[in-house]
């Protein structure tokens, strides 16, 4: 399978880099690779996505991207982003289809002393959708 035009692959992990997630702050190198591992049971979710945000400072949302779960089925090597050794990354897993919807968030604090070339993996495993039999009245 060939990569779509404009997609880069990480030299460390072989994952596709989410477009726009390199050289976020001029003059600061891409020190940390954050890879996303999605549970195999989630690959069939129709509407689920990951919302990834990079905050260079608590006041500065530098970049935000939506990564549809369908993109993981299309790219089995997976996806990643690159950030400088500073700031925070917020990863949210969203699936509006079940009732109630799924919304899970996790912050990653990037220490300025993090060595360049560090690779971090975020495992994402959404809860299974409720059974249609779960909410039936007893009797």
């Amino acid at each position: 399978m060939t990569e779509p035009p404009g997609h880069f692959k990480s030299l460390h992990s072989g994952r596709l880099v989410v477009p726009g997630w390199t050289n976020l702050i001029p003059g600061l190198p891409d020190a940390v690779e954050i890879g996303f591992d999605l549970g195999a049971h989630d690959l069939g979710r129709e509407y689920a996505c990951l919302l990834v945000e990079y905050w260079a400072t608590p006041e500065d949302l530098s970049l935000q991207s939506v990564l549809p779960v369908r993109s993981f089925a299309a790219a089995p090597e997976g996806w990643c982003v690159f950030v400088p050794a500073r700031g925070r990354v917020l990863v949210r897993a969203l699936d509006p289809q079940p009732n109630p919807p799924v919304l899970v968030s996790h912050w990653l604090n990037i220490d300025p002393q993090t060595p360049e070339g560090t690779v971090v993996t975020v495992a994402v495993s959404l809860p299974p959708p409720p059974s249609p039999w779960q909410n039936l009245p007893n009797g």
Side-chain angles (χ1 to χ4, degrees):
M1 176 169 127
T2 61
E3 287 84 49
H7 277 64
F8 298 103
K9 271 192 169 182
S10 164
L11 296 176
H12 295 287
S13 67
R15 297 172 191 265
L16 291 176
V17 179
V18 176
W21 281 84
T22 57
N23 302 313
L24 296 181
I25 299 178
L28 287 178
D30 294 331
V32 181
E33 175 184 336
I34 301 172
F36 304 102
D37 285 344
L38 190 65
H41 63 279
D42 291 321
L43 291 176
R45 289 180 180 264
E46 190 173 353
Y47 300 108
C49 63
L50 298 181
L51 174 62
V52 184
E53 299 175 355
Y54 174 68
W55 294 77
T57 68
E59 300 80 30
D60 180 23
L61 172 59
S62 302
L63 185 60
Q64 183 179 61
S65 291
V66 175
L67 188 57
V69 164
R70 291 187 311 262
S71 65
F72 285 86
E77 60 269 64
W79 292 89
C80 67
V81 299
F82 284 91
V83 297
R86 73 176 239 201
R88 297 177 86 190
V89 176
L90 175 60
V91 180
R92 298 182 206 190
L94 307 147
D95 188 350
Q97 190 170 17
N99 189 12
V102 175
L103 172 60
V104 182
S105 299
H106 186 72
W107 280 105
L108 299 165
N109 293 310
I110 311 299
D111 186 321
Q113 300 303 314
T114 302
E116 193 169 332
T118 297
V119 178
V120 175
T121 303
V122 175
V124 178
S125 181
L126 298 169
S131 162
W133 305 105
Q134 222 172 10
N135 296 326
L136 292 179
N138 292 334

